Amino acid sequence: MNQDTKCLKAGYTPGNGEPRQLPLIQSTTFRYTSGDDMAKLFDLEANGYFYTRLANPTSDSVAAKIAALEGGTAAILTSSGMAAVFFALFNICSCGDHIVSSSTIYGGSFNLMSVTMKRMGVDVTFVDPDCTEEELAAAMRPNTKLVYGETIANPVLTVLDIEKFAKVAHAHGVPLIVDNTFATPINCRPFEWGADIVIHSTSKYMDGHASVMGGAIVDSGRFDWNAHADKFPGLTTPDESYHGVTYTEKFGLEGAFITKLSAQLMRDFGSVPSPFNSFVLNLGLESLHVRMQRHCENALKIAQHLQQHEKVAWVKYCGLPTDKYYELGQKYLPNGSCGVISFGVKGGRQAAQDFMQKLQIANIATHVADAATCCLHPASTTHRQMNDEELLAAGVSADLIRMSVGIEGADDLIADIDQALAQI
């Protein structure tokens, strides 16, 4: 099936006389007539469900759809995008380990690595996404466990050279983890360019309507954990907290990462989505391919308009031929990137804040990748925990406005922008 069809058909196939729509199994627990049957589930000897914190059929079907869209072998849903980021990292990192990450990433992810995980004993080195292979390799250490980046960085919109990052990661025996939230698998499938694990904040385009929180982690099933067994003992040696199971032996490369994450991290941290949230997410996924096309069409029109406006200092959008990342965008995102534009208003921080207050259609909101247009000033909101030096490294200037272009009429959005600019 092509991507359009997968949005509607992947993950759940009703049998004869069964519901056409994915059933919502809104239950915490599942009844069994035999304790032995449940014991097999606890021993990972059988497939099935016994407690929604570990697995739920509604959530599993939606995870399977996202795995199919990304071309992965296994996936799991989480309660939020940040839970997906943390779980993907912590599933293979522990105290004393090291991460190499692109510096231009979402502020919450930056803070997770630089502050919270550092308190857990996990160190991080941030690198310029435009660094050379040699510079990236120089950041690697013997205790490095993964390399991390975002397909399209939030909010500065750098485009990650996935092949370059994957090449260096694999040369040092570690996986590349890519946050593909902005591009979605409709516009980019990082596994096809060498990435090993993909994560999403499903609260964004996948849901598309600002309705439910959620995240997803997808495994390509291609990274050979056994070839680097000393680096990943959690996957390649017996887990005494789960009956001595060795995940790579029992579940293979295709299932080891996600099974360990479910059996350990979901068991212990419990960041599971409610079945209802998964059900709503599936409704969003059914129209993802249609909405992404409209988001990209609108964003390109508005980026072109902003580029010509006398009160706009600069515009970042990889769909513009003048953009620094246009060539990488054409390579990895030939059918469109996303609906998010970053630009600066002449007059700096105050002018940017004044502009947003004059908007009438666009919402001032923390959210992004929504069917409705949203606008934000990251330096004073999502990235306000960063100092000036960190903001500069992350590419977030004081005048930067992040506009997430929705699927309204493009002419109406342009008129709203023009009237707001006219008042500053």
Side-chain angles (χ1 to χ4, degrees), residues 365-378:
T366 306
H367 205 235
V368 69
D370 191 341
T373 297
C374 303
C375 204
L376 195 70
H377 183 241

Side-chain angles (χ1 to χ4, degrees), residues 114-178:
S114 63
V115 178
T116 303
M117 292 192 72
K118 190 171 184 178
R119 290 169 54 197
M120 300 168 71
V122 178
D123 200 7
V124 60
T125 298
F126 291 104
V127 297
D128 187 327
D130 301 328
C131 66
T132 64
E133 288 184 18
E134 292 74 20
E135 290 168 333
L136 181 56
M140 307 294 285
R141 301 177 188 172
N143 60 336
T144 301
K145 292 300 178 68
L146 62 95
V147 177
Y148 182 89
E150 296 177 358
T151 309
I152 304 171
N154 177 12
V156 297
L157 304 185
T158 56
V159 177
L160 188 73
D161 190 342
I162 301 171
E163 279 193 317
K164 176 181 71 178
F165 273 68
K167 179 181 178 181
V168 174
H170 295 161
H172 290 80
V174 300
L176 171 63
I177 299 180
V178 174

Side-chain angles (χ1 to χ4, degrees), residues 400-414:
L400 187 153
I401 292 172
R402 183 188 71 185
M403 178 168 280
S404 174
V405 179
I407 57 176
E408 303 96 338
D411 292 343
D412 291 336
L413 294 173
I414 289 172

Side-chain angles (χ1 to χ4, degrees), residues 13 51 78 85 91 96 119 153-154 175-176 227 256 279 291 321 328 353 375 389 393 418:
T13 303
Y51 197 55
T78 61
V85 177
N91 203 35
R119 290 169 54 197
N154 177 12
L176 171 63
F279 178 84
R291 289 184 287 104
L328 278 179
Q353 293 175 332
C375 204
E389 183 177 331
D418 284 349

Side-chain angles (χ1 to χ4, degrees), residues 1-11 61-75 77 180 183-192 198 200 202 205-207 216 218-220 281-282 284-292:
M1 294 186 290
N2 64 37
Q3 295 291 79
D4 297 358
T5 307
K6 288 177 187 175
C7 283
L8 287 121
K9 298 295 184 181
S61 293
V62 181
K65 176 177 286 189
I66 295 173
L69 287 166
E70 284 288 5
T73 59
L77 301 187
N180 198 34
T184 81
I186 300 302
N187 288 339
C188 182
R189 302 215 304 177
F191 293 155
E192 296 176 355
V198 162
H200 287 275
T202 61
Y205 286 123
M206 285 186 167
D207 164 26
V218 187
D219 184 12
S220 68
L281 169 59
N282 187 61
L285 287 168
E286 289 190 347
S287 64
L288 179 63
H289 57 297
V290 180
R291 289 184 287 104
M292 286 308 296

Side-chain angles (χ1 to χ4, degrees), residues 260-303:
K260 175 182 180 295
L261 193 156
S262 177
Q264 286 185 355
L265 302 190
M266 278 301 185
R267 175 196 65 194
D268 295 344
F269 290 95
S271 294
V272 63
S274 76
F276 178 76
N277 282 19
S278 300
F279 178 84
V280 173
L281 169 59
N282 187 61
L283 296 178
L285 287 168
E286 289 190 347
S287 64
L288 179 63
H289 57 297
V290 180
R291 289 184 287 104
M292 286 308 296
Q293 183 177 2
R294 180 61 177 265
H295 280 295
C296 293
E297 289 174 355
N298 279 359
L300 182 58
K301 289 179 183 177
I302 291 171

Side-chain angles (χ1 to χ4, degrees), residues 9 11-23:
K9 298 295 184 181
Y12 169 67
T13 303
N16 187 42
E18 293 182 346
R20 198 288 292 174
Q21 183 54 269
L22 173 68

